[in-house]
Amino acid sequence: MSRRSGILEFAVLGLLRESPMHGYELRKRLNTSLGVFRAFSYGSLYPCLKTLVANGWLIEEPGNALEDARAASLAGRRAKIVYRLTAEGKEHFEELLAHTGPDAWEDEHFAARFAFFGQTSRDVRMRVLEGRRSRLEERLEKMRASLARTRERLDDYTLELQRHGMESVEREVRWLNELIESERSGRDLRRDATSQDTSGDTGGMSRDRGSSRTDPSDPTAK
Amino acid sequence: MSRRSGILEFAVLGLLRESPMHGYELRKRLNTSLGVFRAFSYGSLYPCLKTLVANGWLIEEPGNALEDARAASLAGRRAKIVYRLTAEGKEHFEELLAHTGPDAWEDEHFAARFAFFGQTSRDVRMRVLEGRRSRLEERLEKMRASLARTRERLDDYTLELQRHGMESVEREVRWLNELIESERSGRDLRRDATSQDTSGDTGGMSRDRGSSRTDPSDPTAK
DNA sequence: ACACCCATGTAAGGTGTTACATGATTAG
DNA sequence: CTAATCATGTAACACCTTACATGGGTGT
């Protein structure tokens, strides 16, 4: 049903898994917390929500039947339609999380996957990180080859663009290496005062807390 | 006349301006020399070429009437339809190059613009570089604000993703600063003898967009 | 003979945006 | 009261991909 393979669907399910929300806020979250890498418009969000409802993965709830104090205090601002993940929706999202296809390491897909690593089991995290890394290494190979072939035919700007692109990829590989190392050692290396080279980024995180959290009844954030 | 605003059209015109080519090779160039940041498939290239021909910006030429030695030696392999830029096409491309709209500093647009800086006048180059920079600085502002607002609500992975994203943007800003400095001082960007520290130096650009899969639309897909 | 790169195309579909239309609520 | 922001939607279309269809050339 609905080959919405997309990132949007995934991100929506993931955000709603954390807590129910209405469309407007969902969109803001997509574009700030999550949306460092991508912005979505209402024109895609609302139709997507409808599809998800039609699939039984979400249910619409009235934001509130009457504008009483409780609703105001909980939501800050009154909501019109609040979307909540159903049991099927949760299950579906779990499947998406576990699914490690070669799609998962493409640029935008990867970022979306990473954003929900907090709800992903460690072995899947490792597969995704390593998949991403080898994807990037392939890319580097091609870039290097192509650069070697065409070096002198290119003008300075094109060359600079390529160089810069390659460096960006190399940098991401280093980042992934650190993340993978972190995961492997289960360490929480908290970048406090380690290396201070050009790249500056000492990745690292985790804190591990038992793979996947299982608490749906999280009282609405904020 | 075809609101093909796109990057594809721009890149095709730019590449053909340098020398005539047939579609197949054009596509390879888009995906290697130029295509560090983006891959196009035949499914978009050929229709685009037709549109450009219809607009009078390109003409189709027979690759060669007879398979003589000259054609083989020049192109390596025999071409079927060679596209060549017309005078109108050249003029149109010139206009596109000169046009400094706010589109020009969006991720993919910017990369395409940059790739043809060799054919762009210095003042336009400056405007594009500075436009891009302020675009990124806006972005940084938003990211910082959003981060400050939501810091403690986010799990480690989301935080790490944001941090990494911000660093990438900061890097690109530094890169732009150097480029702008270069332009301002009339220097060529030839970085050969300049900064040569640990990680190379400047860097960090469009990492979050533009996928470039290895080889989509491979006609011989098993 | 077979496989595999070169080379050109088309039809259908996916995935998202822009621009528009509408109205409720809150702050000055 | 008015403007801004919150909130929900829809229709049209931009732009690109996938999968298919077709055939020539070249090496083993």
Side-chain angles (χ1 to χ4, degrees), chain A residues 2-23:
Chain A
S2 107
R3 269 283 69 73
R4 287 208 158 292
S5 64
I7 291 148
L8 220 198
E9 169 183 307
F10 180 76
V12 164
L13 291 173
L15 282 178
L16 287 180
R17 208 209 133 128
E18 292 166 2
S19 81
M21 257 177 282
H22 57 271

Side-chain angles (χ1 to χ4, degrees), chain B residues 78-117:
Chain B
R78 175 165 97 98
K80 285 192 171 165
I81 303 178
V82 171
Y83 292 91
R84 177 187 298 278
L85 212 59
T86 64
E88 291 90 353
K90 214 167 286 189
E91 205 179 321
H92 177 64
F93 182 63
E94 229 82 19
E95 275 169 32
L96 291 180
L97 274 185
H99 171 254
T100 316
D103 307 2
W105 24 84
E106 290 309 317
D107 301 293
E108 308 210 335
H109 247 52
F110 170 73
R113 294 299 300 256
F114 191 91
F116 293 104
F117 263 20

